Amino acid sequence: MTIQMRVYVPPHPLIKHWLGVARDAGTPPALFRSAITELGRWLTYEACRDWLPVVETTIETPLAPCPATFVNPEVPVVVVPILRAGLALMDGVQPVIPLAAVYHLGMVRDEETLEARCYLNKLPAQIDPQTRVLICEPMLATGGTIMATMAMLTERGVDPGLIRILSVVVASPALQKLSQAYPSLNIYTACIDESLNENGYIVPGLGDAGDRAFAT
């Protein structure tokens, strides 16, 4: 069977609502951050489905023994927010998976060449191959930043099939690059937009998510 990358767009009314708030050019920074937080929360909830490892056991209720399922604390779970914009998702992500370790990556894109450059790397030298990794990147546009991130993670031993990418909006150029290089990958997003403009921004997109989130 041929493995093919999967892109999930959950048909949830709250995801659609907060996407509309985030897209609106008139949304002030404080409300924009709230929208990204909520999108982080609901997309993380969806991404955790059939992904977090569990253990089956038996507990005692006040009345009788009962089977129970718990998230397995022995299997590492990691969140990788891509700075700056990825930080805006974290207030929604961390309450859903509070025991996850957080490794920050700082990436900046050259506005002329559209190439990504890493200026901060807090990844460990090696990562347990069983680790579940959630990458937080609000927009996948040209694909340069996310491809560089994926390369750094896989070089450290992460299985692409155990990675989930959480993104508010994505576009075809990034998806095409990812699908060719990492067909076992899974992406969770609020919307797939049609195109990029001449500056490499997603249209209609969100604008610059980092600038909008941090009022800069």
Side-chain angles (χ1 to χ4, degrees):
M1 176 182 288
T2 302
I3 299 175
Q4 185 174 4
M5 186 182 79
R6 296 182 178 182
V7 182
Y8 296 89
V9 184
H12 197 295
L14 290 175
I15 291 176
K16 293 178 181 179
H17 171 86
W18 289 112
L19 174 63
V21 174
R23 282 196 193 275
D24 190 339
T27 297
L31 183 54
F32 182 85
R33 286 194 299 273
S34 294
I36 300 300
T37 293
E38 291 302 320
L39 288 164
R41 185 191 323 279
W42 298 112
L43 288 171
T44 301
Y45 171 84
E46 295 289 344
C48 288
R49 194 188 307 271
D50 302 320
W51 179 63
L52 288 178
V54 298
V55 291
E56 307 290 341
T57 186
T58 299
I59 60 171
E60 292 285 339
T61 79
L63 299 178
C66 176
T69 302
F70 293 99
V71 175
N72 189 343
E74 297 183 1
V75 178
V77 178
V78 163
V79 180
V80 180
I82 300 178
L83 311 186
R84 292 180 303 163
L87 291 176
L89 291 163
M90 290 301 292
D91 284 345
V93 172
Q94 287 187 293
V96 181
I97 44 176
L99 299 182
V102 179
Y103 300 138
H104 296 87
L105 273 181
M107 304 290 285
V108 64
R109 185 174 73 170
D110 187 304
E111 295 303 328
E112 293 184 2
T113 66
L114 303 184
E115 295 295 321
R117 177 177 61 83
C118 181
Y119 64 86
L120 177 71
N121 184 346
K122 290 298 185 179
L123 296 174
Q126 195 68 25
I127 299 176
D128 187 320
Q130 294 302 308
T131 301
R132 274 61 174 172
V133 177
L134 182 68
I135 301 172
C136 295
E137 170 67 309
M139 293 185 292
L140 303 181
T142 64
T145 295
I146 196 63
M147 288 293 289
T149 300
M150 287 294 300
M152 285 186 275
L153 288 169
T154 55
E155 287 167 359
R156 288 164 169 77
V158 177
D159 178 356
L162 298 180
I163 295 175
R164 298 287 186 269
I165 297 175
L166 190 156
S167 191
V168 176
V169 291
V170 302
S172 294
L175 296 181
Q176 290 171 359
K177 291 176 183 178
L178 288 168
S179 65
Q180 292 172 6
Y182 306 104
S184 61
L185 194 60
N186 289 269
I187 298 172
Y188 289 78
T189 182
C191 190
I192 302 173
D193 278 353
E194 295 180 2
S195 62
L196 306 181
N197 65 16
E198 64 277 7
N199 296 317
Y201 283 89
I202 300 175
V203 179
L206 305 172
D208 189 311
D211 285 351
R212 295 189 67 193
F214 299 108
T216 56

